[in-house]
């Protein structure tokens, strides 16, 4: 039987700096090489029929890095989005972004908006970039909007439940991630999709992001297929059920 394909795969793309440093190159060269992996993995997910691919590209905390690096990353992002629009359209993929996007430079936001608009009706994989994204920030932003709804009389405090919180996240319609992959070996979430990953399966590989290709994705999906998901109950459900 072919492996079941997760509906939503989320990836913490880590190790660009280490990849470059191991080659005696500057860290930014690792980010450039990592962009190639994004293209390869996005195309493979479209081919496999993955419904959503969320890529952690820049965290809210990454603004703490030296300005030269964050400025380079913003330029790379702008270049990448405009260059890859064609790839997205050719593969009939949708594009979206989550995070505190208002912190991004205006020229990056323009490219993002344009790509979202141009791919909005596409039927295949939703490629979602997490940019200036933090899981705690997302939950705090949701809490603020819920409080506003209560203040305006649109919502009663007693009616607030998990579904209310979920409905106020950046992308309420996203299926929860089934599989979270982290490259470069670190066993932590680094503030990624904290609300949404409560029952995701976790796959960590030592492969650095710029080396990550379709074969590594397939290995992660095979690993996922060996998991037994119980969601707190006693009845085992096959991984991608
Ligand atoms: C991931 O690679 C990309 C971003 C966080 C923007 P890193 O830049 O974190 O690479 P390492 O972890 O230093 O190797
Ligand atoms: C997580 O990687 C963020 C992204 C991949 C965008 P980091 O390299 O920022 O994570 P830490 O600092 O090692 O936790
Ligand atoms: Mg890192």
């Amino acid at each position: 039987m072919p492996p079941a394909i997760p509906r939503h795969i989320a990836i913490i793309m880590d190790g660009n700096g280490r990849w470059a440093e191991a080659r005696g190159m500057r860290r930014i060269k690792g980010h450039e090489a990592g962009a190639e992996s994004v293209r390869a993995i996005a195309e493979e997910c479209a081919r496999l029929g993955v419904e959503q691919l969320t890529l952690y590209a820049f965290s809210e905390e990454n603004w703490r890095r030296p300005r030269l690096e964050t400025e380079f990353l913003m330029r790379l992002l702008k270049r990448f989005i405009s260059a890859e629009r064609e790839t997205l359209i050719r593969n009939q993929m949708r594009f979206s972004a989550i995070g505190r996007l208002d912190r991004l430079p205006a020229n990056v936001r323009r490219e993002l908006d344009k790509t979202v608009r141009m791919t909005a009706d596409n039927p295949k994989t939703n490629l979602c970039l997490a940019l200036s994204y933090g899981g705690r920030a997302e939950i705090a932003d949701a809490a603020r909007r819920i409080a506003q709804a209560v203040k305006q009389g649109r919502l009663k405090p007693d009616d607030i439940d998990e579904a209310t919180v979920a409905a106020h996240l950046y992308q309420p319609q996203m299926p929860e991630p089934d599989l979270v992959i982290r490259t470069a070996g670190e066993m932590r979430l680094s503030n990624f999709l904290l609300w949404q990953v409560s029952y995701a399966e976790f796959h960590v590989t030592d492969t650095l992001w710029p080396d990550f290709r379709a074969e590594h994705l397939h290995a992660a999906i095979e690993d996922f297929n060996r998991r037994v998901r119980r969601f707190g109950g006693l009845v085992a459900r096959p991984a991608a059920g």
Side-chain angles (χ1 to χ4, degrees):
M1 220 168 66
I5 301 300
R7 274 182 79 187
H8 183 177
I9 299 177
I11 307 184
I12 302 170
M13 309 184 289
D14 201 13
N16 293 353
R18 276 164 276 177
W19 183 92
E21 280 155 16
R23 286 163 177 74
M25 300 190 297
R26 288 187 304 154
R27 293 176 52 82
I28 58 171
K29 288 289 167 197
H31 297 312
E32 268 173 358
E36 297 294 322
S37 304
V38 172
R39 180 182 307 119
I41 296 308
E43 283 198 305
E44 184 60 10
C45 282
R47 199 184 68 79
L48 291 172
V50 174
E51 196 174 311
Q52 174 148 349
L53 171 66
T54 303
L55 299 177
Y56 203 6
F58 191 85
S59 74
E60 184 76 339
E61 289 72 29
N62 286 149
W63 289 114
R64 294 179 189 151
R65 294 192 180 189
R67 220 182 71 196
L68 268 180
E69 181 163 341
T70 59
E71 283 180 355
F72 176 84
L73 281 166
M74 291 303 135
R75 281 199 302 277
L76 176 65
L77 185 59
K78 177 177 175 289
R79 231 186 319 133
F80 180 79
I81 299 165
S82 67
E84 291 313 312
R85 209 173 281 129
E86 275 315 303
T87 317
L88 292 166
I89 292 169
R90 180 160 31 81
N91 289 289
Q92 297 182 287
M93 297 175 73
R94 261 179 307 134
F95 178 80
S96 60
I98 52 172
R100 290 198 167 150
L101 306 179
D102 55 340
R103 293 192 73 182
L104 301 173
N107 61 5
V108 172
R109 283 207 311 272
R110 268 196 301 278
E111 295 297 334
L112 289 175
D113 291 344
K114 187 172 168 190
T115 312
V116 170
R117 265 199 319 276
M118 287 177 70
T119 62
D121 297 324
N122 287 351
K124 298 239 174 101
T125 311
N126 174 12
L127 171 65
C128 173
L129 293 190
L131 296 170
S132 193
Y133 175 88
R136 288 185 174 182
E138 179 174 30
I139 295 168
D141 289 350
R144 190 178 322 103
R145 290 197 291 122
I146 291 169
Q148 276 159 359
V150 170
K151 192 175 167 200
Q152 292 162 359
R154 289 185 281 120
L155 190 65
K156 292 200 201 66
D158 281 349
D159 291 339
I160 297 171
D161 57 12
E162 290 184 17
T164 317
V165 178
H168 288 81
L169 297 175
Y170 295 140
Q171 216 178 78
Q173 72 284 11
M174 76 153 70
E176 287 181 5
D178 301 291
L179 171 62
V180 174
I181 300 171
R182 183 165 186 146
T183 59
E186 236 78 63
M187 301 274 189
R188 57 174 170 261
L189 275 172
S190 301
N191 206 10
F192 188 41
L193 299 176
L194 295 183
W195 177 274
Q196 298 90 331
V197 298
S198 49
Y199 274 102
E201 298 296 326
F202 210 46
H203 174 90
V204 177
T205 169
D206 285 335
T207 304
L208 304 175
W209 178 249
D211 291 326
F212 195 89
R213 286 294 180 274
E215 75 222 59
H216 304 98
L217 180 69
H218 298 160
I221 293 174
E222 274 165 34
D223 185 20
F224 172 77
N225 272 262
R226 286 190 290 269
R227 307 290 175 87
V228 175
R229 303 181 85 186
R230 277 183 291 268
F231 299 96
L234 295 177
V235 182
R237 277 207 253 154

